Amino acid sequence: MSEHGQLPQELDPDRPSGARVYDFFLGGGSNFAVDRELGRRVLAVAPDMRLSVLANRACMHRVVRMCLAQGVRQFLDVGCGISSIGTPHELAQRLDPTARVVYVDSEPVAVTHGELVLEGNPNAAIVQADLRDIDEVLAATDVRRLLDRNQPTAVLMFAVLHHVPDHDDPSALVRAYLESFAPGSFVALTHLTADHAPEIMRAVFDLLPTDLHPGTLRSRAELEALLTGLDLVDPGVVPIAQWRPERGDLDLQPAVPLGYAAVARKS
C-alpha cells in the first residue's frame, strides 16, 4: 500500500509477481491469491522449493554475519524482493546498529512494502531501479547518502542473477558493482541451477508465465567463470545449504539442490 492507502499504480493484482511468490514461500503476508496459487503449483512439481527458499534466506544470514565479522558495515542488496522475514538490515543492525543497508528492486510492491518497513530507520532505505542500470542505482539519493564508495561494501545478489540473460553480461555486472566500492568489498550470490534436477526445473519453467521465467539456469562451472578475477571465499561455489552451514541450518537441506551459493572478495 502507498502512504495514501492505495496499491501502487503499476500493480496488477491479477498477475503473479516473482517477489510475491517468493514471499509466499517464506511464509510472508505480502502476496495475493494469484501468487499463492502459482506457488502451490510450483510446490506440486518441486516439493523442495519452499525449503530451498528458506535455505536461501538462512544462507543470506550467514553471509551478513561473515561480512560483519570481516569489518564490513554497509550492504547493497540488489534485486532484494519484498522485505519479509529476516531481512539483512534487521540482522546487521541487531549486531551493529550503525550498519547501513540499501535495497534495490524494480518491483513496485517490493519497493512500496520496503518503504513502509524502513520508515523511521535512518540507516536503511530502498531504491526502485533495474539492477542492470548501475549508473541509476549508484546515483540514487539514498545510495549516495548511506554508502561510502571508499569503504568496503557487501553487494548481495540473492536469487536474482538467473534473471539476467547472458547477453546482459552478468559477469560484467558483478565486476561493475564491485569496482564501484573499495578493496575488501564482497559479492554474495545465489543462483538457480539445473545441475542436479533438470526434470524438476523444466517442470517449474513450464508453469511460469514468460515474465516470471528465471531466464538462465547456470552450472557450477558457469558461476565460477562469472566470478573470474575475484577471490572466491571458501567453500567456493556449492549448493546453497552447504555454504558454511551452522547447527540451526541442519533442517534446511533439500533432498535435491536447486541452486548454488558463492561469495567472492575484491582484492
Side-chain angles (χ1 to χ4, degrees):
M1 303 291 282
S2 74
E3 62 181 344
H4 303 296
Q6 300 296 317
L7 292 170
Q9 191 171 21
E10 309 97 313
L11 174 66
D12 182 351
D14 296 321
R15 292 181 61 81
S17 150
R20 299 195 308 265
V21 173
Y22 192 88
D23 177 70
F24 164 70
F25 288 143
L26 280 175
S30 298
N31 50 75
F32 301 140
V34 66
D35 306 304
R36 295 188 288 275
E37 173 60 24
L38 178 57
R40 293 186 189 104
R41 293 173 65 198
V42 168
L43 290 174
V45 300
D48 273 349
M49 185 62 75
R50 172 171 275 134
L51 192 59
S52 296
V53 167
L54 293 171
N56 189 65
R57 182 52 56 98
C59 180
M60 178 187 287
H61 291 175
R62 299 193 297 273
V63 167
V64 169
R65 288 194 293 268
M66 183 214 74
C67 290
L68 288 167
Q70 294 294 316
V72 174
R73 291 297 180 271
Q74 50 187 36
F75 298 82
L76 180 63
D77 185 353
V78 295
C80 62
I82 291 174
S83 301
S84 187
I85 302 160
T87 51
H89 78 277
E90 292 173 326
L91 175 59
Q93 292 177 355
R94 184 165 66 246
L95 297 174
D96 184 341
T98 69
R100 300 177 302 283
V101 181
V102 178
Y103 298 97
V104 178
D105 206 285
S106 59
E107 220 278 352
V109 171
V111 174
T112 300
H113 186 271
E115 290 171 344
L116 290 172
V117 169
L118 300 174
E119 187 175 4
N121 187 330
N123 287 335
I126 188 165
V127 171
Q128 184 165 3
D130 188 319
L131 67 93
R132 293 169 295 185
D133 191 342
I134 298 177
D135 290 340
E136 180 183 0
V137 171
L138 296 179
T141 300
D142 284 322
V143 172
R144 291 186 285 108
R145 175 176 67 88
L146 290 172
L147 303 184
D148 182 348
R149 304 262 297 263
N150 296 311
Q151 295 296 321
T153 301
V155 180
L156 307 180
M157 295 179 148
F158 278 73
V160 68
L161 285 180
H162 43 249
H163 293 291
V164 179
D166 288 338
H167 63 73
D168 282 332
D169 200 346
S171 181
L173 194 66
V174 169
R175 289 194 302 272
Y177 272 107
L178 281 187
E179 286 168 3
S180 302
F181 296 102
S185 293
F186 292 89
V187 61
L189 64 88
T190 58
H191 197 295
L192 288 176
T193 186
D195 279 0
H196 307 99
E199 298 84 3
I200 289 176
M201 296 311 298
R202 209 164 23 243
V204 170
F205 275 25
D206 288 344
L207 289 173
L208 300 179
T210 302
D211 57 337
L212 294 190
H213 198 288
T216 306
L217 299 184
R218 295 184 172 94
S219 67
R220 179 176 180 175
E222 287 173 315
L223 291 177
E224 289 174 342
L226 190 150
L227 297 170
T228 297
L230 302 172
D231 300 325
L232 263 180
V233 174
D234 287 339
V237 180
V238 296
I240 293 171
Q242 295 176 24
W243 197 90
R244 300 192 179 188
E246 299 170 357
R247 184 181 299 274
D249 302 324
L250 296 179
D251 58 347
L252 297 177
Q253 295 280 347
V256 180
L258 302 181
Y260 286 116
V263 178
R265 183 178 182 273
K266 173 185 176 182
S267 298

